[in-house]
Each structure stands twice: as C-alpha cells, then as structure tokens.
Amino acid sequence: VDENGEDVILVGAGVGYLTGRGKAVDESRVEREFHLTGLVRGGSFRVLLDIPYPVLKAVARVAAHLQETHGLTLTPAAEVALADHIAQAISRLDAGIPIYNSMLWETKMTYPTEFAVALQALEVVHTELGRKLPLDEAGFVTLHLVNAGLSSDPHRAMTLGAALREIIAIVERELGIVVDVSSPTSTRFLTHVKFVIQRITRNQTYSGSFDEFFQTLKAQNAHIYACAVAIGDYLDATFAARVTEEERMYLMLHLLKLHDELDAGSRKP
C-alpha cells in the first residue's frame, strides 16, 4: 500500500524477493508502479493482476518509448488496457486462433500517425518478448492509442455511460446471468463495446465475409448470437448507425467468454 493506504502493484524483476506482507521492498528493483487512483476500482485493477509480468514489462517499455520519442503519456488505465490486449493477442497466437482485422487499412488511413506509432509499439513488444504479432494487431493497438478521445466530450461520455448500463441490462435479460462489472472478462467485454461505439459513430464498422468457423459458432450458440443481435439493434437505434453482421459476430465472441466465465463461477461450491 502507499502512504494513503491505497493498493499499489509494483512491477520489477525480483521485486518481491525476500519480502512479504508488511515488509519493505527494495525500491531499486521497482520498474513501474500502478496505483488504484486513476484505475477503475475492481475492474482494471483486477485485469492488471492477470497480466503476465513479461507483458507488463514490455508495455512499460512501450510507454517509455512513446514518452521519449513522441511526447505521448499513457494513463495507467490505458497502459493496463494495452497490456491486457497484448497478453490476449499472444494467447490467441499460441492457441492458433487468428483474429483478422478487416478495418486495418481504414484504420491506417484514418489515424496514420497513431498507426505508425502502433507499429513501433509492436516492434518494442517483439524485441522484449521475442513474439512477432501479426500486422492486424497494429490496427487494434492504434485504436487503443486513440481510445481516450472517445470520452473527451462530456456529453458523449454521459451517452456512452448510459449505453453501457443498458447493454449490461440486455445481457442480463437475454442470457439470464448477473454481470459482475468488476470481473476482468466483463471489463474486456465493455472495452470492446466502447470500440464498437467508436467505430459505428465514425462510420468505420467491420464488414466482410465469415469463414466456416464463425458460421458454426453462430449455429451452436444461437442464444448468445441472439443477445449480440439485441445489443446491435440497441446501438443502431441509440447512435443512428448500422452495426454490421461482422460486428455482431465479434460481440458474440466476447459474450461467449463472459457467459462461460459467469456460468463456471455459478457452478463453484
């Protein structure tokens, strides 16, 4: 804990070596501090606990690179979100699950500066972790770099907050579950929804064909897909925009993870 009694996560090689609860740590080993202040209580802070140390270290290097080279400062919440995305991307790579970014070139053209910075960030990740993420990820990282602008307008932030609350209500109603908004999976789902809203309000929605895997997944999880459709219909009406079938499929993937996690939790003794 810090001097204000708030929880703090210290990142560094061997930072917890030969220490324990109530004992001091060797500050020379501390490479990065994450304070609860500035992070969403419970949500982003708990996501941070799930991120492997090597990924946190790599993203800390990315943050330092952005600061030194471009004068850009990532907020703690943005750094955690980016680290979580990188960790998930590596997990997908290890599992052989490709996630194609059909908006890659549109993203590059819309945010050329941020896209160039995203490519540099992936190079830093490659250097630090020895993992070469596909070019598609540069588009997703670009959106992380511009995502702070999503709530820069107070009115838009209020609209976004109301939309997220309604979407949680839709999920609970359609799937018969109680969403724990502080869980890591719920945080990732809501972050994805923010990106969907950002894209549809800028007429940059995903569109394209689906392979057999997605069609099979849709057929096997009709109730999950129906929930994704309900969310899409709500977003259509609220933001006067069109949520494409591909956006609905990506929503379904996140809903599957959310449903499976909450369903597993409900079966615990």
Side-chain angles (χ1 to χ4, degrees), residues 150-151 156-172 179 181 186-198 231 234-235 238-239 251:
L150 185 63
S151 60
R156 187 168 183 170
M158 291 177 63
T159 302
L160 175 63
L164 293 178
R165 286 192 294 273
E166 180 58 30
I167 287 170
I168 290 172
I170 291 173
V171 171
E172 293 184 332
V179 177
V181 294
S186 297
T187 299
R188 293 183 188 114
F189 169 67
L190 294 176
T191 296
H192 176 74
V193 171
K194 290 179 185 178
F195 284 145
V196 173
I197 293 172
Q198 184 181 51
I231 292 173
Y234 168 75
L235 293 176
T238 302
F239 294 95
L251 280 169

PDB file of all heavy atoms in Angstrom, residues 150-151 156-172 179 181 186-198 231 234-235 238-239 251:
ATOM      1  N   LEU A 150     -12.524   8.959 -27.033  1.00  0.00           N
ATOM      2  CA  LEU A 150     -13.917   8.529 -27.056  1.00  0.00           C
ATOM      3  C   LEU A 150     -14.760   9.257 -26.022  1.00  0.00           C
ATOM      4  O   LEU A 150     -15.922   9.549 -26.240  1.00  0.00           O
ATOM      5  CB  LEU A 150     -13.989   7.017 -26.814  1.00  0.00           C
ATOM      6  CG  LEU A 150     -15.354   6.362 -26.918  1.00  0.00           C
ATOM      7  CD1 LEU A 150     -15.888   6.502 -28.333  1.00  0.00           C
ATOM      8  CD2 LEU A 150     -15.269   4.902 -26.536  1.00  0.00           C
ATOM      9  N   SER A 151     -14.161   9.581 -24.868  1.00  0.00           N
ATOM     10  CA  SER A 151     -14.928  10.225 -23.800  1.00  0.00           C
ATOM     11  C   SER A 151     -14.446  11.645 -23.522  1.00  0.00           C
ATOM     12  O   SER A 151     -14.653  12.181 -22.451  1.00  0.00           O
ATOM     13  CB  SER A 151     -14.828   9.392 -22.509  1.00  0.00           C
ATOM     14  OG  SER A 151     -13.483   9.271 -22.095  1.00  0.00           O
ATOM     15  N   ARG A 156     -20.831  13.211 -24.691  1.00  0.00           N
ATOM     16  CA  ARG A 156     -20.622  11.893 -25.291  1.00  0.00           C
ATOM     17  C   ARG A 156     -20.293  10.865 -24.209  1.00  0.00           C
ATOM     18  O   ARG A 156     -20.706   9.710 -24.277  1.00  0.00           O
ATOM     19  CB  ARG A 156     -19.496  11.967 -26.311  1.00  0.00           C
ATOM     20  CG  ARG A 156     -19.316  10.673 -27.100  1.00  0.00           C
ATOM     21  CD  ARG A 156     -18.405  10.906 -28.276  1.00  0.00           C
ATOM     22  NE  ARG A 156     -18.295   9.700 -29.078  1.00  0.00           N
ATOM     23  CZ  ARG A 156     -17.719   9.638 -30.263  1.00  0.00           C
ATOM     24  NH1 ARG A 156     -17.212  10.723 -30.788  1.00  0.00           N
ATOM     25  NH2 ARG A 156     -17.641   8.508 -30.925  1.00  0.00           N
ATOM     26  N   ALA A 157     -19.548  11.300 -23.198  1.00  0.00           N
ATOM     27  CA  ALA A 157     -19.199  10.394 -22.107  1.00  0.00           C
ATOM     28  C   ALA A 157     -20.450   9.948 -21.365  1.00  0.00           C
ATOM     29  O   ALA A 157     -20.595   8.779 -20.997  1.00  0.00           O
ATOM     30  CB  ALA A 157     -18.232  11.086 -21.142  1.00  0.00           C
ATOM     31  N   MET A 158     -21.398  10.895 -21.139  1.00  0.00           N
ATOM     32  CA  MET A 158     -22.645  10.555 -20.463  1.00  0.00           C
ATOM     33  C   MET A 158     -23.462   9.583 -21.315  1.00  0.00           C
ATOM     34  O   MET A 158     -24.037   8.625 -20.808  1.00  0.00           O
ATOM     35  CB  MET A 158     -23.447  11.826 -20.178  1.00  0.00           C
ATOM     36  CG  MET A 158     -22.817  12.729 -19.117  1.00  0.00           C
ATOM     37  SD  MET A 158     -23.750  14.256 -18.868  1.00  0.00           S
ATOM     38  CE  MET A 158     -25.297  13.602 -18.264  1.00  0.00           C
ATOM     39  N   THR A 159     -23.502   9.827 -22.641  1.00  0.00           N
ATOM     40  CA  THR A 159     -24.226   8.938 -23.538  1.00  0.00           C
ATOM     41  C   THR A 159     -23.608   7.550 -23.528  1.00  0.00           C
ATOM     42  O   THR A 159     -24.307   6.533 -23.506  1.00  0.00           O
ATOM     43  CB  THR A 159     -24.213   9.511 -24.969  1.00  0.00           C
ATOM     44  OG1 THR A 159     -24.798  10.816 -24.976  1.00  0.00           O
ATOM     45  CG2 THR A 159     -24.983   8.601 -25.924  1.00  0.00           C
ATOM     46  N   LEU A 160     -22.290   7.510 -23.537  1.00  0.00           N
ATOM     47  CA  LEU A 160     -21.583   6.241 -23.504  1.00  0.00           C
ATOM     48  C   LEU A 160     -21.890   5.470 -22.221  1.00  0.00           C
ATOM     49  O   LEU A 160     -22.168   4.281 -22.247  1.00  0.00           O
ATOM     50  CB  LEU A 160     -20.081   6.468 -23.626  1.00  0.00           C
ATOM     51  CG  LEU A 160     -19.185   5.234 -23.500  1.00  0.00           C
ATOM     52  CD1 LEU A 160     -19.475   4.250 -24.631  1.00  0.00           C
ATOM     53  CD2 LEU A 160     -17.716   5.630 -23.507  1.00  0.00           C
ATOM     54  N   GLY A 161     -21.859   6.180 -21.083  1.00  0.00           N
ATOM     55  CA  GLY A 161     -22.138   5.530 -19.802  1.00  0.00           C
ATOM     56  C   GLY A 161     -23.537   4.937 -19.759  1.00  0.00           C
ATOM     57  O   GLY A 161     -23.738   3.812 -19.296  1.00  0.00           O
ATOM     58  N   ALA A 162     -24.519   5.710 -20.275  1.00  0.00           N
ATOM     59  CA  ALA A 162     -25.900   5.222 -20.301  1.00  0.00           C
ATOM     60  C   ALA A 162     -26.016   4.004 -21.219  1.00  0.00           C
ATOM     61  O   ALA A 162     -26.729   3.039 -20.906  1.00  0.00           O
ATOM     62  CB  ALA A 162     -26.833   6.333 -20.778  1.00  0.00           C
ATOM     63  N   ALA A 163     -25.294   4.040 -22.348  1.00  0.00           N
ATOM     64  CA  ALA A 163     -25.337   2.921 -23.297  1.00  0.00           C
ATOM     65  C   ALA A 163     -24.759   1.656 -22.670  1.00  0.00           C
ATOM     66  O   ALA A 163     -25.316   0.560 -22.828  1.00  0.00           O
ATOM     67  CB  ALA A 163     -24.567   3.283 -24.567  1.00  0.00           C
ATOM     68  N   LEU A 164     -23.659   1.790 -21.957  1.00  0.00           N
ATOM     69  CA  LEU A 164     -23.040   0.630 -21.325  1.00  0.00           C
ATOM     70  C   LEU A 164     -23.961   0.021 -20.268  1.00  0.00           C
ATOM     71  O   LEU A 164     -24.062  -1.208 -20.149  1.00  0.00           O
ATOM     72  CB  LEU A 164     -21.697   1.014 -20.703  1.00  0.00           C
ATOM     73  CG  LEU A 164     -20.594   1.418 -21.688  1.00  0.00           C
ATOM     74  CD1 LEU A 164     -19.331   1.812 -20.937  1.00  0.00           C
ATOM     75  CD2 LEU A 164     -20.293   0.294 -22.664  1.00  0.00           C
ATOM     76  N   ARG A 165     -24.631   0.873 -19.505  1.00  0.00           N
ATOM     77  CA  ARG A 165     -25.570   0.370 -18.493  1.00  0.00           C
ATOM     78  C   ARG A 165     -26.715  -0.406 -19.150  1.00  0.00           C
ATOM     79  O   ARG A 165     -27.136  -1.450 -18.668  1.00  0.00           O
ATOM     80  CB  ARG A 165     -26.107   1.526 -17.643  1.00  0.00           C
ATOM     81  CG  ARG A 165     -25.100   2.085 -16.648  1.00  0.00           C
ATOM     82  CD  ARG A 165     -25.766   3.010 -15.645  1.00  0.00           C
ATOM     83  NE  ARG A 165     -26.278   4.215 -16.286  1.00  0.00           N
ATOM     84  CZ  ARG A 165     -25.561   5.316 -16.495  1.00  0.00           C
ATOM     85  NH1 ARG A 165     -24.285   5.346 -16.131  1.00  0.00           N
ATOM     86  NH2 ARG A 165     -26.096   6.366 -17.083  1.00  0.00           N
ATOM     87  N   GLU A 166     -27.229   0.124 -20.264  1.00  0.00           N
ATOM     88  CA  GLU A 166     -28.331  -0.537 -20.956  1.00  0.00           C
ATOM     89  C   GLU A 166     -27.876  -1.863 -21.566  1.00  0.00           C
ATOM     90  O   GLU A 166     -28.615  -2.858 -21.547  1.00  0.00           O
ATOM     91  CB  GLU A 166     -28.889   0.373 -22.053  1.00  0.00           C
ATOM     92  CG  GLU A 166     -30.049  -0.226 -22.843  1.00  0.00           C
ATOM     93  CD  GLU A 166     -31.239  -0.611 -21.972  1.00  0.00           C
ATOM     94  OE1 GLU A 166     -31.450   0.038 -20.917  1.00  0.00           O
ATOM     95  OE2 GLU A 166     -31.948  -1.572 -22.340  1.00  0.00           O
ATOM     96  N   ILE A 167     -26.656  -1.896 -22.079  1.00  0.00           N
ATOM     97  CA  ILE A 167     -26.127  -3.129 -22.675  1.00  0.00           C
ATOM     98  C   ILE A 167     -25.954  -4.205 -21.608  1.00  0.00           C
ATOM     99  O   ILE A 167     -26.243  -5.384 -21.838  1.00  0.00           O
ATOM    100  CB  ILE A 167     -24.805  -2.847 -23.415  1.00  0.00           C
ATOM    101  CG1 ILE A 167     -25.119  -2.085 -24.705  1.00  0.00           C
ATOM    102  CG2 ILE A 167     -24.046  -4.137 -23.718  1.00  0.00           C
ATOM    103  CD1 ILE A 167     -23.910  -1.535 -25.406  1.00  0.00           C
ATOM    104  N   ILE A 168     -25.499  -3.808 -20.421  1.00  0.00           N
ATOM    105  CA  ILE A 168     -25.399  -4.761 -19.309  1.00  0.00           C
ATOM    106  C   ILE A 168     -26.783  -5.326 -18.990  1.00  0.00           C
ATOM    107  O   ILE A 168     -26.941  -6.534 -18.771  1.00  0.00           O
ATOM    108  CB  ILE A 168     -24.787  -4.085 -18.067  1.00  0.00           C
ATOM    109  CG1 ILE A 168     -23.300  -3.786 -18.304  1.00  0.00           C
ATOM    110  CG2 ILE A 168     -24.950  -4.983 -16.834  1.00  0.00           C
ATOM    111  CD1 ILE A 168     -22.667  -2.952 -17.218  1.00  0.00           C
ATOM    112  N   ALA A 169     -27.785  -4.454 -19.000  1.00  0.00           N
ATOM    113  CA  ALA A 169     -29.157  -4.901 -18.724  1.00  0.00           C
ATOM    114  C   ALA A 169     -29.634  -5.873 -19.803  1.00  0.00           C
ATOM    115  O   ALA A 169     -30.312  -6.866 -19.505  1.00  0.00           O
ATOM    116  CB  ALA A 169     -30.097  -3.693 -18.653  1.00  0.00           C
ATOM    117  N   ILE A 170     -29.281  -5.602 -21.065  1.00  0.00           N
ATOM    118  CA  ILE A 170     -29.667  -6.500 -22.168  1.00  0.00           C
ATOM    119  C   ILE A 170     -29.028  -7.870 -21.973  1.00  0.00           C
ATOM    120  O   ILE A 170     -29.684  -8.905 -22.119  1.00  0.00           O
ATOM    121  CB  ILE A 170     -29.243  -5.898 -23.519  1.00  0.00           C
ATOM    122  CG1 ILE A 170     -30.087  -4.664 -23.847  1.00  0.00           C
ATOM    123  CG2 ILE A 170     -29.373  -6.935 -24.640  1.00  0.00           C
ATOM    124  CD1 ILE A 170     -29.626  -3.905 -25.077  1.00  0.00           C
ATOM    125  N   VAL A 171     -27.740  -7.885 -21.641  1.00  0.00           N
ATOM    126  CA  VAL A 171     -27.017  -9.145 -21.440  1.00  0.00           C
ATOM    127  C   VAL A 171     -27.660  -9.944 -20.309  1.00  0.00           C
ATOM    128  O   VAL A 171     -27.893 -11.155 -20.431  1.00  0.00           O
ATOM    129  CB  VAL A 171     -25.528  -8.889 -21.142  1.00  0.00           C
ATOM    130  CG1 VAL A 171     -24.825 -10.176 -20.720  1.00  0.00           C
ATOM    131  CG2 VAL A 171     -24.832  -8.290 -22.357  1.00  0.00           C
ATOM    132  N   GLU A 172     -27.947  -9.276 -19.202  1.00  0.00           N
ATOM    133  CA  GLU A 172     -28.533  -9.974 -18.050  1.00  0.00           C
ATOM    134  C   GLU A 172     -29.918 -10.508 -18.384  1.00  0.00           C
ATOM    135  O   GLU A 172     -30.281 -11.621 -17.973  1.00  0.00           O
ATOM    136  CB  GLU A 172     -28.579  -9.029 -16.853  1.00  0.00           C
ATOM    137  CG  GLU A 172     -27.196  -8.658 -16.332  1.00  0.00           C
ATOM    138  CD  GLU A 172     -27.236  -7.806 -15.078  1.00  0.00           C
ATOM    139  OE1 GLU A 172     -28.249  -7.070 -14.898  1.00  0.00           O
ATOM    140  OE2 GLU A 172     -26.277  -7.846 -14.288  1.00  0.00           O
ATOM    141  N   VAL A 179     -24.158  -9.812 -14.360  1.00  0.00           N
ATOM    142  CA  VAL A 179     -22.839  -9.377 -14.818  1.00  0.00           C
ATOM    143  C   VAL A 179     -22.088  -8.691 -13.681  1.00  0.00           C
ATOM    144  O   VAL A 179     -22.570  -7.712 -13.107  1.00  0.00           O
ATOM    145  CB  VAL A 179     -22.960  -8.415 -16.011  1.00  0.00           C
ATOM    146  CG1 VAL A 179     -21.584  -7.901 -16.431  1.00  0.00           C
ATOM    147  CG2 VAL A 179     -23.651  -9.111 -17.177  1.00  0.00           C
ATOM    148  N   VAL A 181     -19.459  -6.365 -13.071  1.00  0.00           N
ATOM    149  CA  VAL A 181     -18.711  -5.393 -13.884  1.00  0.00           C
ATOM    150  C   VAL A 181     -17.268  -5.232 -13.424  1.00  0.00           C
ATOM    151  O   VAL A 181     -16.465  -4.602 -14.107  1.00  0.00           O
ATOM    152  CB  VAL A 181     -19.412  -4.015 -13.866  1.00  0.00           C
ATOM    153  CG1 VAL A 181     -20.767  -4.098 -14.554  1.00  0.00           C
ATOM    154  CG2 VAL A 181     -19.552  -3.485 -12.442  1.00  0.00           C
ATOM    155  N   SER A 186     -15.639  -9.125 -17.874  1.00  0.00           N
ATOM    156  CA  SER A 186     -16.632  -8.072 -18.079  1.00  0.00           C
ATOM    157  C   SER A 186     -15.970  -6.782 -18.515  1.00  0.00           C
ATOM    158  O   SER A 186     -16.476  -6.066 -19.395  1.00  0.00           O
ATOM    159  CB  SER A 186     -17.434  -7.834 -16.791  1.00  0.00           C
ATOM    160  OG  SER A 186     -18.172  -8.971 -16.422  1.00  0.00           O
ATOM    161  N   THR A 187     -14.827  -6.459 -17.912  1.00  0.00           N
ATOM    162  CA  THR A 187     -14.088  -5.252 -18.283  1.00  0.00           C
ATOM    163  C   THR A 187     -13.660  -5.323 -19.746  1.00  0.00           C
ATOM    164  O   THR A 187     -13.782  -4.342 -20.490  1.00  0.00           O
ATOM    165  CB  THR A 187     -12.848  -5.079 -17.390  1.00  0.00           C
ATOM    166  OG1 THR A 187     -13.269  -4.959 -16.026  1.00  0.00           O
ATOM    167  CG2 THR A 187     -12.073  -3.821 -17.778  1.00  0.00           C
ATOM    168  N   ARG A 188     -13.168  -6.494 -20.174  1.00  0.00           N
ATOM    169  CA  ARG A 188     -12.758  -6.652 -21.577  1.00  0.00           C
ATOM    170  C   ARG A 188     -13.966  -6.519 -22.510  1.00  0.00           C
ATOM    171  O   ARG A 188     -13.872  -5.904 -23.575  1.00  0.00           O
ATOM    172  CB  ARG A 188     -12.096  -8.014 -21.770  1.00  0.00           C
ATOM    173  CG  ARG A 188     -10.774  -8.153 -21.033  1.00  0.00           C
ATOM    174  CD  ARG A 188     -10.121  -9.510 -21.308  1.00  0.00           C
ATOM    175  NE  ARG A 188      -8.952  -9.680 -20.450  1.00  0.00           N
ATOM    176  CZ  ARG A 188      -8.847 -10.579 -19.486  1.00  0.00           C
ATOM    177  NH1 ARG A 188      -9.843 -11.398 -19.240  1.00  0.00           N
ATOM    178  NH2 ARG A 188      -7.751 -10.660 -18.775  1.00  0.00           N
ATOM    179  N   PHE A 189     -15.093  -7.100 -22.114  1.00  0.00           N
ATOM    180  CA  PHE A 189     -16.297  -7.020 -22.933  1.00  0.00           C
ATOM    181  C   PHE A 189     -16.739  -5.570 -23.104  1.00  0.00           C
ATOM    182  O   PHE A 189     -17.025  -5.113 -24.220  1.00  0.00           O
ATOM    183  CB  PHE A 189     -17.421  -7.839 -22.300  1.00  0.00           C
ATOM    184  CG  PHE A 189     -18.771  -7.620 -22.927  1.00  0.00           C
ATOM    185  CD1 PHE A 189     -19.020  -8.036 -24.235  1.00  0.00           C
ATOM    186  CD2 PHE A 189     -19.785  -6.989 -22.222  1.00  0.00           C
ATOM    187  CE1 PHE A 189     -20.259  -7.824 -24.821  1.00  0.00           C
ATOM    188  CE2 PHE A 189     -21.018  -6.774 -22.808  1.00  0.00           C
ATOM    189  CZ  PHE A 189     -21.261  -7.188 -24.105  1.00  0.00           C
ATOM    190  N   LEU A 190     -16.783  -4.820 -22.006  1.00  0.00           N
ATOM    191  CA  LEU A 190     -17.227  -3.428 -22.076  1.00  0.00           C
ATOM    192  C   LEU A 190     -16.231  -2.562 -22.847  1.00  0.00           C
ATOM    193  O   LEU A 190     -16.621  -1.613 -23.531  1.00  0.00           O
ATOM    194  CB  LEU A 190     -17.448  -2.880 -20.664  1.00  0.00           C
ATOM    195  CG  LEU A 190     -18.605  -3.539 -19.897  1.00  0.00           C
ATOM    196  CD1 LEU A 190     -18.679  -3.004 -18.473  1.00  0.00           C
ATOM    197  CD2 LEU A 190     -19.930  -3.332 -20.621  1.00  0.00           C
ATOM    198  N   THR A 191     -14.943  -2.890 -22.755  1.00  0.00           N
ATOM    199  CA  THR A 191     -13.946  -2.168 -23.552  1.00  0.00           C
ATOM    200  C   THR A 191     -14.207  -2.408 -25.036  1.00  0.00           C
ATOM    201  O   THR A 191     -14.136  -1.480 -25.854  1.00  0.00           O
ATOM    202  CB  THR A 191     -12.521  -2.633 -23.193  1.00  0.00           C
ATOM    203  OG1 THR A 191     -12.248  -2.289 -21.829  1.00  0.00           O
ATOM    204  CG2 THR A 191     -11.481  -1.954 -24.088  1.00  0.00           C
ATOM    205  N   HIS A 192     -14.525  -3.664 -25.386  1.00  0.00           N
ATOM    206  CA  HIS A 192     -14.842  -3.975 -26.779  1.00  0.00           C
ATOM    207  C   HIS A 192     -16.070  -3.196 -27.232  1.00  0.00           C
ATOM    208  O   HIS A 192     -16.097  -2.664 -28.357  1.00  0.00           O
ATOM    209  CB  HIS A 192     -15.074  -5.475 -26.952  1.00  0.00           C
ATOM    210  CG  HIS A 192     -15.489  -5.848 -28.343  1.00  0.00           C
ATOM    211  ND1 HIS A 192     -14.614  -5.855 -29.399  1.00  0.00           N
ATOM    212  CD2 HIS A 192     -16.707  -6.193 -28.851  1.00  0.00           C
ATOM    213  CE1 HIS A 192     -15.254  -6.198 -30.507  1.00  0.00           C
ATOM    214  NE2 HIS A 192     -16.527  -6.412 -30.195  1.00  0.00           N
ATOM    215  N   VAL A 193     -17.087  -3.111 -26.378  1.00  0.00           N
ATOM    216  CA  VAL A 193     -18.300  -2.372 -26.729  1.00  0.00           C
ATOM    217  C   VAL A 193     -17.970  -0.901 -26.990  1.00  0.00           C
ATOM    218  O   VAL A 193     -18.503  -0.286 -27.924  1.00  0.00           O
ATOM    219  CB  VAL A 193     -19.366  -2.502 -25.620  1.00  0.00           C
ATOM    220  CG1 VAL A 193     -20.533  -1.552 -25.883  1.00  0.00           C
ATOM    221  CG2 VAL A 193     -19.868  -3.932 -25.530  1.00  0.00           C
ATOM    222  N   LYS A 194     -17.079  -0.328 -26.190  1.00  0.00           N
ATOM    223  CA  LYS A 194     -16.662   1.062 -26.418  1.00  0.00           C
ATOM    224  C   LYS A 194     -16.055   1.215 -27.802  1.00  0.00           C
ATOM    225  O   LYS A 194     -16.310   2.199 -28.504  1.00  0.00           O
ATOM    226  CB  LYS A 194     -15.651   1.491 -25.352  1.00  0.00           C
ATOM    227  CG  LYS A 194     -16.218   1.648 -23.958  1.00  0.00           C
ATOM    228  CD  LYS A 194     -15.122   2.041 -22.977  1.00  0.00           C
ATOM    229  CE  LYS A 194     -15.621   2.085 -21.556  1.00  0.00           C
ATOM    230  NZ  LYS A 194     -14.538   2.428 -20.592  1.00  0.00           N
ATOM    231  N   PHE A 195     -15.228   0.251 -28.195  1.00  0.00           N
ATOM    232  CA  PHE A 195     -14.618   0.306 -29.521  1.00  0.00           C
ATOM    233  C   PHE A 195     -15.683   0.202 -30.615  1.00  0.00           C
ATOM    234  O   PHE A 195     -15.592   0.873 -31.648  1.00  0.00           O
ATOM    235  CB  PHE A 195     -13.586  -0.813 -29.682  1.00  0.00           C
ATOM    236  CG  PHE A 195     -12.285  -0.559 -28.973  1.00  0.00           C
ATOM    237  CD1 PHE A 195     -11.581  -1.610 -28.410  1.00  0.00           C
ATOM    238  CD2 PHE A 195     -11.766   0.715 -28.865  1.00  0.00           C
ATOM    239  CE1 PHE A 195     -10.372  -1.391 -27.763  1.00  0.00           C
ATOM    240  CE2 PHE A 195     -10.568   0.953 -28.211  1.00  0.00           C
ATOM    241  CZ  PHE A 195      -9.864  -0.099 -27.663  1.00  0.00           C
ATOM    242  N   VAL A 196     -16.695  -0.645 -30.394  1.00  0.00           N
ATOM    243  CA  VAL A 196     -17.785  -0.772 -31.366  1.00  0.00           C
ATOM    244  C   VAL A 196     -18.483   0.568 -31.535  1.00  0.00           C
ATOM    245  O   VAL A 196     -18.745   1.026 -32.654  1.00  0.00           O
ATOM    246  CB  VAL A 196     -18.795  -1.857 -30.935  1.00  0.00           C
ATOM    247  CG1 VAL A 196     -20.004  -1.856 -31.876  1.00  0.00           C
ATOM    248  CG2 VAL A 196     -18.150  -3.233 -30.933  1.00  0.00           C
ATOM    249  N   ILE A 197     -18.788   1.218 -30.403  1.00  0.00           N
ATOM    250  CA  ILE A 197     -19.466   2.516 -30.449  1.00  0.00           C
ATOM    251  C   ILE A 197     -18.602   3.544 -31.173  1.00  0.00           C
ATOM    252  O   ILE A 197     -19.091   4.346 -31.979  1.00  0.00           O
ATOM    253  CB  ILE A 197     -19.813   2.992 -29.027  1.00  0.00           C
ATOM    254  CG1 ILE A 197     -20.868   2.061 -28.410  1.00  0.00           C
ATOM    255  CG2 ILE A 197     -20.320   4.437 -29.043  1.00  0.00           C
ATOM    256  CD1 ILE A 197     -21.151   2.332 -26.941  1.00  0.00           C
ATOM    257  N   GLN A 198     -17.309   3.512 -30.889  1.00  0.00           N
ATOM    258  CA  GLN A 198     -16.400   4.436 -31.558  1.00  0.00           C
ATOM    259  C   GLN A 198     -16.430   4.231 -33.062  1.00  0.00           C
ATOM    260  O   GLN A 198     -16.482   5.192 -33.839  1.00  0.00           O
ATOM    261  CB  GLN A 198     -14.978   4.252 -31.031  1.00  0.00           C
ATOM    262  CG  GLN A 198     -13.968   5.250 -31.605  1.00  0.00           C
ATOM    263  CD  GLN A 198     -12.567   5.010 -31.070  1.00  0.00           C
ATOM    264  OE1 GLN A 198     -12.064   3.893 -31.118  1.00  0.00           O
ATOM    265  NE2 GLN A 198     -11.934   6.041 -30.556  1.00  0.00           N
ATOM    266  N   ILE A 231     -28.079  -6.419 -28.772  1.00  0.00           N
ATOM    267  CA  ILE A 231     -27.164  -5.308 -28.480  1.00  0.00           C
ATOM    268  C   ILE A 231     -26.964  -4.462 -29.732  1.00  0.00           C
ATOM    269  O   ILE A 231     -26.977  -3.224 -29.682  1.00  0.00           O
ATOM    270  CB  ILE A 231     -25.812  -5.845 -27.978  1.00  0.00           C
ATOM    271  CG1 ILE A 231     -25.986  -6.500 -26.601  1.00  0.00           C
ATOM    272  CG2 ILE A 231     -24.771  -4.722 -27.897  1.00  0.00           C
ATOM    273  CD1 ILE A 231     -24.739  -7.197 -26.099  1.00  0.00           C
ATOM    274  N   TYR A 234     -29.936  -2.289 -30.354  1.00  0.00           N
ATOM    275  CA  TYR A 234     -29.955  -1.152 -29.422  1.00  0.00           C
ATOM    276  C   TYR A 234     -28.979  -0.066 -29.878  1.00  0.00           C
ATOM    277  O   TYR A 234     -29.319   1.130 -29.879  1.00  0.00           O
ATOM    278  CB  TYR A 234     -29.596  -1.615 -28.012  1.00  0.00           C
ATOM    279  CG  TYR A 234     -29.304  -0.467 -27.073  1.00  0.00           C
ATOM    280  CD1 TYR A 234     -30.331   0.323 -26.552  1.00  0.00           C
ATOM    281  CD2 TYR A 234     -27.989  -0.139 -26.729  1.00  0.00           C
ATOM    282  CE1 TYR A 234     -30.063   1.398 -25.713  1.00  0.00           C
ATOM    283  CE2 TYR A 234     -27.720   0.921 -25.896  1.00  0.00           C
ATOM    284  CZ  TYR A 234     -28.750   1.691 -25.392  1.00  0.00           C
ATOM    285  OH  TYR A 234     -28.470   2.755 -24.571  1.00  0.00           O
ATOM    286  N   LEU A 235     -27.770  -0.468 -30.279  1.00  0.00           N
ATOM    287  CA  LEU A 235     -26.772   0.501 -30.738  1.00  0.00           C
ATOM    288  C   LEU A 235     -27.231   1.187 -32.021  1.00  0.00           C
ATOM    289  O   LEU A 235     -27.004   2.392 -32.209  1.00  0.00           O
ATOM    290  CB  LEU A 235     -25.426  -0.189 -30.951  1.00  0.00           C
ATOM    291  CG  LEU A 235     -24.737  -0.725 -29.693  1.00  0.00           C
ATOM    292  CD1 LEU A 235     -23.452  -1.461 -30.061  1.00  0.00           C
ATOM    293  CD2 LEU A 235     -24.422   0.407 -28.714  1.00  0.00           C
ATOM    294  N   THR A 238     -29.780   3.757 -30.847  1.00  0.00           N
ATOM    295  CA  THR A 238     -29.251   4.806 -29.963  1.00  0.00           C
ATOM    296  C   THR A 238     -28.327   5.772 -30.688  1.00  0.00           C
ATOM    297  O   THR A 238     -28.378   6.991 -30.465  1.00  0.00           O
ATOM    298  CB  THR A 238     -28.495   4.175 -28.780  1.00  0.00           C
ATOM    299  OG1 THR A 238     -29.388   3.300 -28.074  1.00  0.00           O
ATOM    300  CG2 THR A 238     -27.966   5.244 -27.829  1.00  0.00           C
ATOM    301  N   PHE A 239     -27.474   5.236 -31.568  1.00  0.00           N
ATOM    302  CA  PHE A 239     -26.466   6.071 -32.219  1.00  0.00           C
ATOM    303  C   PHE A 239     -26.758   6.319 -33.696  1.00  0.00           C
ATOM    304  O   PHE A 239     -25.921   6.875 -34.405  1.00  0.00           O
ATOM    305  CB  PHE A 239     -25.085   5.428 -32.064  1.00  0.00           C
ATOM    306  CG  PHE A 239     -24.616   5.377 -30.644  1.00  0.00           C
ATOM    307  CD1 PHE A 239     -24.820   4.241 -29.865  1.00  0.00           C
ATOM    308  CD2 PHE A 239     -23.994   6.472 -30.056  1.00  0.00           C
ATOM    309  CE1 PHE A 239     -24.395   4.192 -28.538  1.00  0.00           C
ATOM    310  CE2 PHE A 239     -23.572   6.439 -28.732  1.00  0.00           C
ATOM    311  CZ  PHE A 239     -23.768   5.300 -27.976  1.00  0.00           C
ATOM    312  N   LEU A 251     -19.043  -9.339 -31.174  1.00  0.00           N
ATOM    313  CA  LEU A 251     -19.760  -9.206 -29.907  1.00  0.00           C
ATOM    314  C   LEU A 251     -20.089 -10.592 -29.348  1.00  0.00           C
ATOM    315  O   LEU A 251     -19.969 -10.831 -28.141  1.00  0.00           O
ATOM    316  CB  LEU A 251     -21.057  -8.405 -30.110  1.00  0.00           C
ATOM    317  CG  LEU A 251     -20.932  -6.886 -30.187  1.00  0.00           C
ATOM    318  CD1 LEU A 251     -22.244  -6.266 -30.657  1.00  0.00           C
ATOM    319  CD2 LEU A 251     -20.523  -6.304 -28.836  1.00  0.00           C
TER     320      LEU A 251
END
